[in-house]
Amino acid sequence: MTTHGPPIPLRDPRVVDVLVLFQATLVAVSAVEATVIGAATGFGVASPAILSVVLAVVLLVIARRSSKRMVRGIQWFLLTSAAVDLVLAVALGRTLLDPVALMTRIALPVSILRLSPKRAAS
Amino acid sequence: MSYVGSPMYEVTAEHAAALLSIPVVLGLLTFARRSQRPWATAYRGLPAVRRLLVSLVAIDATMHLFLGPTHGGRLGLALFSFGVVGWVLARRLILGSTRSAGTIVWALSGLAAYAVAAVSGRTTVDQVGTASKLLELAALASVLVRVQRVRFALGSAGLVATAVMVAAASWAGAMEAGGHGHELGEVPAPGVLLPQSEDRDPTPAEVAAAARFHRTVAAAIAPYQSLAAAAEAGFAVENLAGSAWHADNPVHKADGRIFDPEAPETLVYAEGPDGPVLVGAMFQMDGLRNPGPAIGGPLTVWHAHDHVCLSLVPLGLAGLTGPFGSCPPGTITIPLTNEMIHVWTVPGAPEPFGDLDETWLEMYLSSAAG
């Protein structure tokens, strides 16, 4: 027997914490990759490595402290960057972003934005 | 013009079946919202983080159930078994009869096995494999929140280290699977696009044309061993560094001349013990998807690049899109470049066109020193 049950809410600060921690991990990997490339090129282009490290640390701190003051701003920054890449992919590559990129760069920040409170408590 | 790229950015045929897991699990979750079965009721009563964890494990386990039959053999059995264990874990997570350790062991074993399989070439690094590992990393993240401070710090460090290990293994596997040259029929390395075509032997006319072109280029660019001469001709030879420094000539790039041996768009230098050494030239096509003139047939295969990370401040190459789908923050991703071809004029180069073997180049530079 089945009934129409209510939707199961995921809007829980701890879910946001999980997603932010996961995102921090991915940014940390980007930081390592950017640092390796930077080292190989004599750090002629060091800004991506520096920005990645800073962003990864900030996200890790946010994930721990439940302070969501910056969460939404960072998500919008990452989404804007993904949107630029999506436009480039469509315009130049005649394709969308790869499935994994759609998952990590679009679905993940959108989920965090949807699940995190618009007005931060702290 | 259609290209073949690295499987790391694609869904390979052997992994495509795993995509079926998405509608299967979404259907199950929809069912769980309505059903009165004990497991569904228990699922609805779980805390949100636990429900998220169950969903992650269920999707990943189902992916492995689909991957088992398509791989076959011992690897297929291992994948299928991992999926079965994942479903047992999901059931125990719903019924509350397991703690975090079960998830950690399950996810870490999946991640470690994947890293080994990728590096050893037993599995193709592609979008499906990477997506599966992301689910396992997210599952690990879900057991770390709201734990005691020291445990969180240690756990986060472990999570990042694990993710770096998986990414490194993915890079290694994708690079190893990719061809070391730019030849037709090869599986390209990440970031390289080759024309979609079968390899074949060159005709005598193509061999002669390629040799003639190579000789002409070698003679034309020989004076640019002098950096002063190269600078005077408009090549950007300031701050040369590394083993493959590309010195562009903006005038040649905009002059509309295609594959002109007298006017290469770029010179390539390698940093030797006694200063920069001119190792060759690179020619570029104008515009995207314009195939270069393959005067030597399969000897002169042009290539393009994809998934290039470009830093805007300062302007420069910042790598390639990683296995997890991202360029570093603050960069943009160039999805496709124009076609290009390298001509190697350094004496004794193993291949006159295409890719230059780095080991050979290092040996050449060290032997030429002094």
Side-chain angles (χ1 to χ4, degrees):
Chain A
M1 173 187 161
T2 61
T3 59
H4 289 275
I8 305 171
L10 273 177
R11 196 182 283 268
D12 179 321
R14 274 178 278 190
V15 171
V16 178
D17 291 347
V18 170
L19 297 180
V20 172
L21 176 59
F22 176 54
Q23 190 177 49
T25 305
L26 301 182
V27 176
V29 172
S30 274
V32 173
E33 289 170 341
T35 305
V36 170
I37 293 291
T41 56
F43 284 104
V45 182
S47 56
I50 295 167
L51 184 58
S52 305
V53 170
V54 170
L55 205 55
V57 170
V58 168
L59 285 167
L60 279 170
V61 170
I62 289 173
R64 174 63 193 171
R65 292 178 60 192
S66 294
S67 169
K68 301 297 178 286
R69 201 177 291 274
M70 295 173 73
V71 165
R72 298 183 70 83
I74 291 174
Q75 302 315 311
W76 281 116
F77 168 72
L78 294 174
L79 267 179
T80 305
S81 165
V84 169
D85 286 347
L86 181 60
V87 169
L88 286 172
V90 171
L92 301 180
R94 296 178 195 165
T95 181
L96 295 174
L97 297 177
D98 300 328
V100 165
L102 286 172
M103 192 170 145
T104 57
R105 302 190 62 199
I106 306 281
L108 182 58
V110 166
S111 301
I112 294 173
L113 278 174
R114 282 204 63 185
L115 296 175
S116 60
K118 284 188 178 174
R119 287 178 182 275
S122 56
Chain B
M1 186 71 201
S2 56
Y3 296 105
V4 179
S6 167
M8 188 167 92
Y9 302 120
E10 293 169 5
V11 175
T12 58
E14 66 179 1
H15 291 169
L19 297 176
L20 289 171
S21 61
I22 296 170
V24 168
V25 176
L26 286 179
L28 275 173
L29 292 177
T30 305
F31 182 72
R33 280 171 54 179
R34 300 174 176 181
S35 171
Q36 295 301 312
R37 290 172 190 272
W39 68 267
T41 309
Y43 173 78
R44 287 198 296 270
L46 292 175
V49 170
R50 180 59 73 99
R51 283 202 306 276
L52 174 67
L53 174 58
V54 169
S55 304
L56 293 168
V57 172
I59 295 172
D60 193 41
T62 311
M63 287 175 80
H64 283 83
L65 292 181
F66 280 108
L67 287 171
T70 58
H71 279 76
R74 288 162 70 179
L75 179 60
L77 184 62
L79 290 168
F80 190 82
S81 304
F82 186 75
V84 171
V85 173
W87 266 107
V88 171
L89 174 65
R91 182 176 176 278
R92 291 171 68 94
L93 286 167
I94 291 173
L95 300 176
S97 57
T98 188
R99 297 174 68 87
S100 303
T103 304
I104 294 171
V105 170
W106 181 77
L108 281 180
S109 62
L111 291 161
Y114 179 80
V116 171
V119 170
S120 63
R122 286 185 195 161
T123 191
T124 306
V125 175
D126 78 337
Q127 294 281 296
V128 172
T130 307
S132 161
K133 297 311 115 182
L134 286 171
L135 293 172
E136 288 157 23
L137 286 168
L140 283 177
S142 75
V143 300
L144 279 176
V145 290
R146 300 295 167 96
V147 296
Q148 182 255 348
R149 183 187 294 265
V150 175
R151 277 191 183 179
F152 179 81
L154 291 173
S156 301
L159 182 65
V160 170
T162 306
V164 169
M165 173 200 73
V166 173
S170 299
W171 276 117
M175 290 290 185
E176 189 58 34
H180 296 290
H182 289 159
E183 294 176 12
L184 294 175
E186 282 187 335
V187 175
V192 176
L193 292 173
L194 294 174
Q196 202 157 30
S197 181
E198 292 293 315
D199 198 15
R200 63 174 173 83
D201 290 330
T203 65
E206 288 169 338
V207 172
R212 194 163 51 245
F213 186 82
H214 185 266
R215 278 196 305 273
T216 312
V217 172
I221 69 171
Y224 303 138
Q225 174 55 52
S226 157
L227 295 185
E232 193 176 335
F235 292 96
V237 291
E238 306 84 23
N239 307 318
L240 289 180
S243 62
W245 181 268
H246 285 53
D248 291 334
N249 187 318
V251 175
H252 290 181
K253 280 188 166 186
D255 62 9
R257 292 150 76 185
I258 300 298
F259 213 29
D260 182 343
E262 304 288 340
E265 281 75 19
T266 305
L267 295 176
V268 186
Y269 292 87
E271 193 177 18
D274 299 327
V277 175
L278 177 67
V279 293
M282 188 179 82
F283 296 85
Q284 295 181 54
M285 291 298 294
D286 291 336
L288 302 178
R289 295 186 187 81
N290 290 332
I295 57 167
L299 296 174
T300 51
V301 178
W302 291 65
H303 69 278
H305 290 287
D306 66 345
H307 294 91
V308 178
C309 307
L310 190 71
S311 167
L312 298 178
V313 185
L315 190 65
L317 183 67
L320 296 169
T321 304
F324 297 153
S326 294
C327 280
T331 64
I332 60 169
T333 310
I334 304 297
L336 180 66
T337 68
N338 50 349
E339 290 201 356
M340 57 198 77
I341 187 170
H342 289 96
V343 182
W344 305 113
T345 57
V346 60
E351 299 286 343
F353 300 96
D355 200 29
L356 186 61
D357 186 83
E358 282 193 30
T359 309
W360 178 88
L361 181 59
E362 280 175 23
M363 287 172 57
Y364 172 83
L365 293 172
S366 57
S367 66

